[in-house]
Amino acid sequence: MKKAYSNPCIRCGTERIILKTWKEKIYDSTVINTETVCPNRECQKKVNSDNKKQQDKYIALKLRSEQRAIDRRITKDAEKALKKG
Ligand SMILES: [Zn+2]
């Protein structure tokens, strides 16, 4: 049995409580996921909305960089085609 590790809330520093654990099979290994929440409900709500903001930002960034990569590829192909003449 693994010792419980400290997992303080990022907002208020209170030890977070385990909401649920579930097993997930990734390829050949089973990973145990744990969802923890702040015991302070209002605080957890704020953490959730912050997380969502972060996630949205991350997704937006990712989409943008993917789009850039596609643009670059198109430019390269265009250059190649031009060089070939
Ligand atoms: Zn908290």
Side-chain angles (χ1 to χ4, degrees):
M1 187 77 190
K2 229 160 80 179
K3 215 181 132 203
Y5 53 93
S6 175
N7 185 20
C9 170
I10 51 162
R11 285 191 79 90
C12 65
T14 310
E15 193 64 28
R16 290 162 72 85
I17 52 171
I18 293 168
L19 187 69
K20 60 175 177 178
T21 56
W22 70 99
K23 281 183 190 170
E24 202 178 318
K25 220 173 143 106
I26 295 170
Y27 301 110
D28 282 337
S29 51
T30 307
V31 179
I32 296 168
N33 289 297
T34 312
E35 192 179 336
T36 58
V37 290
C38 180
N40 181 336
R41 238 200 233 167
E42 284 307 305
C43 181
Q44 180 55 41
K45 249 191 237 169
K46 286 189 184 121
V47 172
N48 280 345
S49 76
D50 280 359
N51 281 348
K52 176 132 186 18
K53 262 184 237 159
Q54 281 291 329
Q55 214 169 33
D56 289 349
K57 224 191 278 176
Y58 172 76
I59 290 167
L61 263 171
K62 207 177 155 216
L63 282 176
R64 221 179 300 158
S65 71
E66 271 169 14
Q67 189 55 52
R68 257 206 302 268
I70 292 167
D71 289 348
R72 233 182 347 249
R73 199 151 53 216
I74 290 169
T75 313
K76 258 189 193 162
D77 286 348
E79 277 172 4
K80 239 188 264 169
L82 275 174
K83 268 180 197 159
K84 267 185 194 163

